[in-house]
């Protein structure tokens, strides 16, 4: 769509001077925002800038403290909790929640079940679910229980749910954070198709390349304030990043630092198999950053969980510094200095109803205990240190994890794992939902750890991250390690070739 | 724009109250309210004597409920505590009647150790059945509830088991009827047990683990916490608390029967919930639990002292309290 027609387009939803406070802490300051018919509008900003809050206000999940929302030029007050759907407004939440015991089809039609002669028309609903999922290139079974899906699959179901509703306005709060390139492109294809039919989208993402690829206009928020709205074509990644953080950014990735070939092998995994993973072998040397790439569902997380002792293995060996680690024994792995950071921060990472301190020290309470007594001073010092080190930004120090912005939750999770001072660290999706400024900090942090002699495994669906950070990259496909790239081989095309099954490792 | 002004006002108002968690305060507010109501109903009510009596009588439920706070915080439930009281008490009396040790003081000491061990073992059994056996705690303890009760009935052959040694009786009496520095022993023990429990729950590694397991056992597992061990230990703590309650119970009547401790599990759970602990786990409030146990006893006392409600309705009243407490808790969650 060229800029002129965009300019001419009608404004469907407008926010005027929206302010919002939570328990007296202001997070949005008189923000203006407008959304035109048939546009994809990116909403950008650092973690905690207030993007999710604005999106929730515009879709009726939160009420503004002051200011007004106009729909088709008329002031509206949305009924509480998502009833804005009746007005054609749907939202894909950042911290989404699907009922775990429903099937995919049930969850897609939740609240608008189709009946025939007074009975649920399951057949139709299943077929319709299949159709929408196929549009998105998602092959989960319509009868599968939500609880059994991976987090990426859940995200796809959530997206399917939203786009199947014939909405006029769709808010997408970081829908691609857990998706791979492949799934993302399916999603974008659908989004463009719907846009061309007149649907408006608000797209929140920290992935600059996606924003540039997909969106028509960009609005940037900083610290709860509106900074700029401009056509995407007039901006590039760098200028958006600068608007977001309010300063100039140096290079995103630190210089790579290859470990010596004769450096000690600290982790050796030999022919490991689980239900899904088959015969995976690899080793990590001291001071190395090893990347794991592959499509969603290629078995990376399952392999790492088996290595970390969070899951039993059917066969194979895991040895840390020559010492063999028993299957399914987290404690043994932890004792040997191995820590695993989950990518599922909501379900497996953080106690959402506890504060920052309780979360931060949960895995390392032994450090704060003297004869069983936990010293509050020592814990407070740890929190202070972690907030500085990981730049965790909250306006209220007593906030519970549930209320923190997504990116700050991620930083807290990383801090929690690092509190155990591991020297082999497996990080599953290190920057999920983190803004560029902080991404840079985390990359430099990981690199510094490696230089100090830690070994790091980075599992990531963000290809640039793996390429920019790792000295070696393993590629997985359907439960097997199909490629191990080094040096100049590490490139997007090469990784894709292995991940898609077009190429296989010669020996192995 | 009246709606918006209202919401601004309410947020600024809450700001001043923000540091006080309403759910933690609610039980104590209810207690204060009850004291006022009681004083209006009958002036004798507010006398130190009467209140000390009430507190003393609440001791059994209070101490058991402290243990239940651990189990419930860890996300489990123990329905067997009432039967366990009867079972442990019966075994303890039978042990003292057996006369295996001649010296009464030594015998009493041994019996106390024995009762604590039996209580701990009963708790351990509950814990292992739920964790290792992977049976829902509700079902597992429903089973042991029947088992402990049935064993008691069998031990007593349907009648009563009575402490026969007068010397031991004499020696043991002060454990319930005596006082330390003017404070009745049961009250002193409630305070001691609660203080220790609060310390464990709030200020030790184990306490944190209990809360973590109760809020989200997956997060706990991924944080390297031995989830089953934490849950099992909570059941053992519950068993030990039951044993302490038994140690106070036996000197009071000197006998047990198949009906000892019937419905105490309900009262203990009520005390825990009234005290502000979430039944779905993840948040334990030990002092609130004590407050809850006291409220239960106080309501009974007020009904007894007042002339316009029959004291036969006490059970119905206690049942109503748990429902009201849940409603209040939920409305407080919504607001915050
Ligand atoms: N319900 C709430 N109660 C209190 N504070 C809240 C609540 N929701 C959000 N906040 C605070 O508001 C601020 C903005 O949060 P928001 O979730 O909108 O950020 P965001 O821009 O979406 O960040 P991210 O990129 O990390 O997702 C944060 O400081 C957050 O802690
Ligand atoms: Mg957000």
């Amino acid at each position: 769509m060229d800029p002129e027609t965009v300019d001419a387009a009608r404004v469907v939803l407008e926010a005027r001077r929206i302010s919002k406070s939570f328990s007296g802490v202001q997070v949005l300051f008189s923000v203006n925002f407008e959304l035109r018919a048939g546009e994809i509008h990116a909403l950008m900003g650092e973690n905690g800038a207030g993007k999710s809050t604005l999106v929730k206000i515009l879709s009726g999940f939160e009420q503004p403290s002051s200011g007004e929302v106009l729909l088709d030029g008329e002031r509206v007050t949305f009924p509480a909790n998502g009833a804005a759907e009746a007005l054609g407004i749907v939202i894909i939440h950042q911290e989404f929640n699907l009922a775990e015991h429903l099937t995919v089809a049930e969850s897609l039609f939740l609240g608008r079940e189709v009946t025939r002669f007074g009975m649920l028309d399951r057949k139709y609903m299943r077929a319709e679910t299949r159709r929408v999922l196929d549009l998105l290139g998602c092959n989960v079974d319509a009868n599968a229980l939500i609880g059994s899906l991976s987090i990426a699959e859940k995200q796809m179901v959530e997206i399917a749910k939203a786009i199947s509703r014939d909405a006029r306005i769709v808010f997408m709060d970081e829908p691609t954070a857990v998706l791979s390139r492949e799934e993302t492109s399916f999603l974008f294809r659908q989004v463009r198709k719907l846009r061309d039919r007149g649907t408006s989208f608000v797209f929140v993402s920290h992935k600059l390349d996606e924003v540039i690829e997909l969106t028509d206009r960009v609005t940037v928020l900083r610290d709860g304030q509106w900074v700029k709205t401009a056509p995407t074509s007039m901006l590039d990644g760098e200028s958006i990043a600068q608007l977001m953080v309010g300063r100039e950014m140096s290079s995103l990735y630190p210089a790579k630092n290859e470990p010596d070939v004769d450096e000690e092998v600290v982790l050796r995994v030999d022919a490991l198999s689980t239900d899904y993973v088959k015969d995976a072998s690899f080793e990590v040397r001291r001071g190395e950053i090893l990347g794991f790439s592959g499509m969603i569902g290629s078995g990376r997380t399952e392999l790492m969980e088996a290595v970390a002792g969070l899951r039993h293995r059917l066969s194979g060996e895991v040895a840390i510094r020559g010492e063999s680690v028993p299957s399914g024994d987290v404690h043994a792995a932890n004792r040997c200095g191995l820590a695993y950071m989950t990518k599922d921060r909501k379900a497996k990472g953080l106690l959402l109803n506890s504060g920052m301190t309780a979360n931060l020290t949960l895995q390392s309470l032994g450090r704060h205990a003297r004869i069983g007594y936990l010293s509050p001073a020592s814990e407070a010092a740890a929190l202070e240190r972690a907030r500085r080190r990981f730049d965790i930004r909250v306006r209220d120090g007593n906030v519970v994890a549930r209320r923190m912005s997504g990116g700050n939750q991620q930083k807290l999770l990383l801090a929690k794992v690092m509190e155990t001072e591991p020297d082999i660290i497996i990080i599953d999706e290190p920057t999920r939902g983190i803004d560029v400024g902080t991404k840079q900090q985390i990359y430099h942090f990981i690199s510094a750890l490696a230089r100090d002699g830690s070994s790091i495994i980075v599992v990531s669906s963000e290809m640039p991250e793996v390429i920019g950070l790792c000295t070696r990259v393993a590629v997985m496909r359907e439960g097997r390690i199909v490629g191990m790239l080094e040096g100049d081989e590490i490139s997007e095309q090469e990784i894709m070739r292995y991940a898609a099954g077009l190429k296989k490792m010669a020996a192995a | 724009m009246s709606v918006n002004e209202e919401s601004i006002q309410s947020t600024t108002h809450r700001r001043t109250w923000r540091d006080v968690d309403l759910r933690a305060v609610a039980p104590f507010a209810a207690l204060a309210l009850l004291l006022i109501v009681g004083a209006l109903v009958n002036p004798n009510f507010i006398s130190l004597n009467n209140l000390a009596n009430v507190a003393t009588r609440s001791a059994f439920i209070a101490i058991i409920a402290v243990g239940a706070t651990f189990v419930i915080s860890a996300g489990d439930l123990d329905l067997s505590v009432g039967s366990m009281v009867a079972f442990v008490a019966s075994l303890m009396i039978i042990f003292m009647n057996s006369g295996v040790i001649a010296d009464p003081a030594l015998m009493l000491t041994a019996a106390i150790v024995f009762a604590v061990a039996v209580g701990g073992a009963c708790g351990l059994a509950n814990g292992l059945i739920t964790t290792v056996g992977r049976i829902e705690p509700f079902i597992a303890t429903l089973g042991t509830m029947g088992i402990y009760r049935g064993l008691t009935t069998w031990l007593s052959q349907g009648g009563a088991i009575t402490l026969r040694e007068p010397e031991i009786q004499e020696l043991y009496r002060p454990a319930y009827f005596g006082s330390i520095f003017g404070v009745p022993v049961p009250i002193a023990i409630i305070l001691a047990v609660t203080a220790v429990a609060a310390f464990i729950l709030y200020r030790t590694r184990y306490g944190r683990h209990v809360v973590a397991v109760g809020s989200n056992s997956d997060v706990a597992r991924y944080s390297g916490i031995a989830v089953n061990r934490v849950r099992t230990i909570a059941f053992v703590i519950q068993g030990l608390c039951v044993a302490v309650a038994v140690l106070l119970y036996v000197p009071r009547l000197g006998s047990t029967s198949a009906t000892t401790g019937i419905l105490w599990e309900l009262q203990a759970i009520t005390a825990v919930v009234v005290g502000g602990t979430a039944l779905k786990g993840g948040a334990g409030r030990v002092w609130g639990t004590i407050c809850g146990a006291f409220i239960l006893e106080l309501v009974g006392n007020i009904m007894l002292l007042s002339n316009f409600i029959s004291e036969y309705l006490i059970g119905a009243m206690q049942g109503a309290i748990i429902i009201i407490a849940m409603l209040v808790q939920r409305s407080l969650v919504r607001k915050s």
Side-chain angles (χ1 to χ4, degrees), chain A residues 51-52 94 173-174 204 405-406:
Chain A
K51 303 177 297 293
S52 297
Q94 177 179 18
D173 198 351
E174 301 198 31
V204 181
S405 82

Side-chain angles (χ1 to χ4, degrees), chain A residues 22 27 46-53 94 174 206 403 405-407:
Chain A
F22 289 109
V27 300
E46 287 182 286
N47 296 132
K51 303 177 297 293
S52 297
T53 307
Q94 177 179 18
E174 301 198 31
H206 288 294
R403 302 263 162 81
S405 82

Side-chain angles (χ1 to χ4, degrees), chain A residues 314-329:
Chain A
L314 295 178
S315 64
E317 274 291 303
V318 174
I320 296 174
R321 278 186 220 83
E323 190 186 326
S324 153
V325 185
S327 163
D329 189 343

Side-chain angles (χ1 to χ4, degrees), chain A residues 266-267 320-321 336-339 422-426 454-457:
Chain A
V266 288
L267 175 68
I320 296 174
R321 278 186 220 83
C336 296
L338 183 141
D423 45 29
I424 305 169
I425 311 139
I426 303 175
S454 297
S455 311
I456 295 142
I457 296 177

Side-chain angles (χ1 to χ4, degrees), chain A residues 307-451:
Chain A
V307 170
L310 285 159
R311 189 185 273 279
H312 278 283
R313 42 181 201 261
L314 295 178
S315 64
E317 274 291 303
V318 174
I320 296 174
R321 278 186 220 83
E323 190 186 326
S324 153
V325 185
S327 163
D329 189 343
V330 206
H331 297 277
N334 286 351
R335 259 196 314 277
C336 296
L338 183 141
Y340 170 76
M341 186 185 112
T342 174
K343 66 177 169 191
D344 196 350
R345 62 173 175 250
K346 248 193 121 184
K348 294 170 182 156
L350 295 176
L351 297 174
L352 295 175
N353 290 323
S354 297
M356 286 192 290
T357 317
N359 271 299
L360 178 71
T361 57
L362 186 62
Q363 205 161 350
S364 49
L365 283 170
R367 281 167 205 279
H368 306 285
R370 262 176 268 122
I371 359 170
Y373 171 73
L374 295 174
S375 151
S378 152
E379 284 191 283
L383 180 61
E384 204 39 57
R385 204 169 51 230
R387 281 179 71 169
R388 237 181 306 115
R389 195 169 166 200
F390 294 95
D391 193 25
I392 301 174
R393 291 191 209 168
V394 288
R395 303 220 166 88
D396 166 10
N398 293 322
V399 69
V400 293
R402 182 188 297 287
R403 302 263 162 81
M404 291 167 69
S405 82
N408 282 304
Q409 288 180 7
Q410 182 74 9
K411 293 188 235 171
L412 179 61
L413 177 59
L414 183 58
K416 166 186 160 184
V417 173
M418 293 314 300
E419 274 293 298
T420 65
E421 298 184 6
D423 45 29
I424 305 169
I425 311 139
I426 303 175
I427 311 182
D428 210 344
E429 305 293 351
T431 59
R432 188 184 149 204
I434 281 187
D435 67 55
V436 270
T438 315
K439 250 181 204 171
Q440 184 193 29
Q441 285 172 5
I442 287 185
Y443 294 149
H444 283 262
F445 178 77
I446 289 176
S447 159
L449 278 178
R451 251 196 309 279

Side-chain angles (χ1 to χ4, degrees), chain B residues 139-215:
Chain B
I139 303 297
T141 58
L142 195 63
T144 54
M145 171 179 168
I147 294 173
Y148 299 147
R149 178 70 63 198
L151 288 175
T152 310
T153 314
W154 174 69
L155 285 173
S156 65
Q157 292 296 305
I161 300 177
T162 309
L163 180 55
R164 284 196 303 265
E165 306 293 323
E167 276 173 78
I168 297 181
Q169 258 176 23
E170 206 44 47
L171 206 61
Y172 201 1
R173 244 184 88 80
Y176 184 80
F177 296 100
S179 54
I180 310 168
F181 304 120
V183 182
V185 174
I187 297 182
I189 293 193
I190 297 180
L191 293 177
V193 167
T194 314
V196 171
F199 178 81
I200 294 175
L201 195 55
Y202 302 137
R203 291 265 45 107
T204 67
R205 182 137 83 127
Y206 174 71
R208 283 290 171 80
H209 286 179
V210 167
V211 173
V213 168
S215 353

Side-chain angles (χ1 to χ4, degrees), chain B residues 37-76:
Chain B
V37 170
L40 294 178
V41 167
N42 189 329
N44 288 336
F45 170 81
I46 207 79
S47 74
L48 206 58
N49 220 340
N50 182 49
L51 289 182
N53 255 328
V54 172
T56 305
R57 258 180 290 129
S58 75
F60 309 129
I61 296 301
I63 293 169
I64 295 169
V66 166
T69 309
F70 280 86
V71 173
I72 290 175
S73 301
D76 290 321

Side-chain angles (χ1 to χ4, degrees), chain B residues 293-313:
Chain B
F294 200 59
I295 287 176
L296 283 184
E297 199 61 45
L298 216 51
V299 169
N301 184 252
I302 292 174
M303 289 173 73
L304 212 63
L305 290 180
S306 76
N307 302 322
F308 40 88
I309 313 178
S310 163
E311 62 263 33
Y312 293 120
L313 282 173

